[in-house]
Amino acid sequence: TRELRVPATGLVVLVGVSGSGKSHFARRHFRPTQVVSSDFCRAAVSDDENDQAATGDAFELLHHIVRTRLRRGLLTVVDATNVQPRSREALLAVARHQDALACAIVLDVPEHVAVERNAARPDRDLPSHVVPRQRRELRRGLKALHREFKRVHVLTGVDEIDAAVLVPER
Ligand code: GTP
Ligand code: MG
C-alpha cells in the first residue's frame, strides 16, 4: 500500500487525462457528497454531460460549490482533468481565499490505458487527439504543479493507483 496524506477539511484536486480513472478513484476513496465533478456541473447546467458550450457555466458552478464547501470546513474533492495550470489556478485561488489546505493527486496512466478505457465507455466519444494533448499539458505542467500545491502525490501506473490508501490529516 501507499499512504497518501490529504487535508481532512481542505481541497483535494485530482489531476489526470480523460480515462485515467479520476471518477473511479473518487468513488473508491470519498463519499459522493465530498466529490464535485465537472461532468456533474456540466449536466446540471445543460442536461448534457458532453455539452462543451456549457463549460463556462459548469465551472462557475463547480467553483461556487467548492467555495461554499471549503467555507463550511468540508473536505472537497475536485473531479475534473485539471491538466491545465489555468484550471488549477482558479481552484487554488478559491482555497487560498478560504484559508484551506490544498493537495493534488495526479493519476498518471500510460496513454494506451486511458485510450482503451475511453473506447469502452458508452458515455465518452472523444476525438483521438484529446488524450495525447492532455498528456502533453500534464507533462509540461508537472514541475509547476509541485510549486502550486503544498502537497502533491503522483501515482504512476495502474498498480500504484490501486495501492493508494488515503490518510486524512488535521
Ligand atoms: P474523465 O471523466 O473522462 O476525465 O475520465 P476519468 O479520469 O474520470 O476516468 P473514469 O474514472 O471514468 O475511468 C474510465 C474508465 O476506466 C471507467 O469505465 C472505469 O470503470 C475504468 N477504470 C477506472 N479506474 C480503473 C481501475 O483502477 N481499474 C480498472 N480495471 N478500471 C478502471
Ligand atoms: Mg470522470
Side-chain angles (χ1 to χ4, degrees):
T1 63
R2 161 130 180 230
E3 293 195 352
L4 313 183
R5 293 190 291 169
V6 297
T9 60
L11 178 69
V12 176
V13 175
L14 301 181
V15 180
V17 303
S18 179
S20 59
K22 301 178 296 295
S23 300
H24 182 86
F25 187 89
R27 270 194 299 275
R28 204 179 114 210
H29 294 286
F30 300 97
R31 290 201 296 271
T33 52
Q34 293 176 323
V35 180
V36 189
S37 77
S38 50
D39 275 349
F40 171 84
C41 292
R42 203 188 297 278
V45 300
S46 74
D47 288 336
D48 178 358
E49 285 196 357
N50 291 301
D51 183 353
Q52 297 306 310
T55 298
D57 283 331
F59 279 92
E60 200 177 300
L61 176 62
L62 185 138
H63 293 144
H64 181 79
I65 297 171
V66 171
R67 187 179 311 116
T68 306
R69 288 185 54 88
L70 292 180
R71 177 167 51 73
R72 297 176 60 82
L74 299 171
L75 172 68
T76 304
V77 182
V78 177
D79 174 9
T81 52
N82 293 312
V83 291
Q84 296 179 340
R86 206 157 44 103
S87 61
R88 299 192 298 264
E89 183 43 50
L91 293 169
L92 284 162
V94 171
R96 251 193 320 270
H97 193 250
Q98 303 298 335
D99 254 323
L101 290 176
C103 111
I105 301 177
V106 181
L107 305 186
D108 186 7
V109 298
E111 182 166 321
H112 74 92
V113 171
V115 168
E116 282 159 20
R117 286 177 180 172
N118 285 337
R121 296 167 75 182
D123 61 321
R124 278 288 186 284
D125 187 16
L126 292 177
S128 62
H129 63 82
V130 171
V131 167
R133 190 193 64 213
Q134 290 175 338
R135 291 190 105 250
R136 281 195 299 277
E137 288 169 334
L138 177 56
R139 280 271 112 68
R140 233 185 280 133
L142 215 46
K143 244 201 217 139
L145 194 78
H146 287 272
R147 287 192 297 268
E148 296 164 15
F149 289 83
K150 197 154 227 157
R151 185 170 283 142
V152 179
H153 302 291
V154 180
L155 300 176
T156 307
V158 173
D159 293 345
E160 252 183 54
I161 293 169
D162 266 349
V165 174
L166 271 53
V167 182
E169 201 181 39
R170 277 166 210 286

